[in-house]
Amino acid sequence: MSICILAIESSCDDTSAAVIVDGNVLSNITSSQQMHREYGGVVPEVASRAHNVSIVPVVLSALEEAGVDRSDLTAVACTRGPGLMGSLMVGFTFAKAFARGLEIPLIEVHHLQAHILAHFIDPPRPRFPFLCLTVSGGHTQLVVVRDYQDMELIGQTLDDAAGEAFDKTGKMLGLPYPAGPEMDKIASTGKVIFDFPEPQIPGLDFSFSGLKTAVLYFLKKELDKDPDFIKDNLRDLCASIQDRIVTILLNKLEKAVAETGITEVAIAGGVSANKGLRSGLRYLAENRGWQTYIPSLQYCTDNAGMIAMTAHHKYLAGDISPFDRQPDPRLPWNPEASG
Ligand code: KG4
Ligand code: ZN
């Protein structure tokens, strides 16, 4: 009998549902909330209301595209955290009710572990053990992945996430939210001529708040002299800021490879869509002999396909959740520790 799982992701501003059958993702439907652009960031209550509108149609489309009837389902999976509480509540409550109604198991999934397992949706798939740099709007982490369920966090940001560094500095340049993709596009037309500092953080942790402050004061100083400074230098500013964010990430990745001796290296999360990061990683692969893995664009940003893949392996390991579980906006790396 096949293992057929419906998976739901609603941790931030994307409502997504996917169906996985025997480890093959057959559908991955995502409704992205565009209304946050006008506010310059995700507004939690607006996000949860929009999930509430989208959840049923997105789930029905995912089942239909996969050619799966709800009576075929073995289990229902959902992101339990981390994320925005109101957003998580919509998907998690839906998943619990759907599973309960069908009298099938519920499988909770850790959003960041799912970003990593997105690498197993399509070939080439990494071999264990591998290192993963997860870079999203809310997180920046270095993880040693020994198996589907055996992951060790070896470094993380002490303040802002890499995606936040793109979004916040981009906002200073007048770019629309989220600024990351826009900065990426403009950066490819500019030159790296402004030198922003690299933080000296010991070990494998990251910090991006110093860069944010450095950009703020630099722009203030230059705008006092020339009010058109940003307009006249936008391309080079984008190229220089992006280059600094990417070097901070890649320098720590090189350090992690040196310390662990692991040369299978993957990147995951929304920022892994960045062209500068992708080409920097390819350069390192060629020059250091690493095997590198970069997910396809649809599986870089938030999606239920990655939740489905994680749930498939949790189901195989017999790891199902009790129905009295609650979503957890700050779900720890080892969820067993949280109630
Ligand atoms: O993983 P994700 O979709 O959502 C979270 O879980 O946070 O990541 C969203 C983040 C945003 O900060 C966005 O600006 C950034 O990923 N991002 C990018 C690019 N595409 C998305 N940052 C830089 N370059 C890109 N091409
Ligand atoms: Zn994410």
Side-chain angles (χ1 to χ4, degrees), residues 114-125:
H115 266 301
I116 295 173
L117 296 187
H119 282 282
F120 292 90
I121 297 174
D122 290 326
R125 299 181 174 94

Side-chain angles (χ1 to χ4, degrees), residues 301-323:
T301 48
D302 289 347
N303 67 89
M306 67 187 195
I307 307 300
M309 181 54 72
T310 310
H312 176 76
H313 288 285
K314 289 191 93 165
Y315 184 82
L316 290 178
D319 189 358
I320 63 171
S321 302
F323 277 99

Side-chain angles (χ1 to χ4, degrees), residues 9 11-12 14 82 111-112 115 134-139 268-270 300-303 306:
E9 154 64 33
S11 64
C12 188
D14 294 303
H111 181 82
L112 294 162
H115 266 301
T134 308
V135 272
S136 72
H139 299 271
C300 282
T301 48
D302 289 347
N303 67 89
M306 67 187 195

Side-chain angles (χ1 to χ4, degrees), residues 224-259:
D224 278 347
K225 290 187 270 177
D226 171 11
D228 288 332
F229 180 76
I230 292 180
K231 191 161 78 57
D232 294 345
N233 294 278
L234 186 63
R235 294 166 178 209
D236 296 340
L237 281 165
C238 287
S240 305
I241 295 170
Q242 173 167 303
D243 182 71
R244 176 51 73 217
I245 296 172
V246 169
T247 35
I248 292 172
L249 293 171
L250 293 179
N251 284 347
K252 289 287 177 168
L253 195 50
E254 281 204 84
K255 197 166 179 196
V257 168
E259 285 187 14

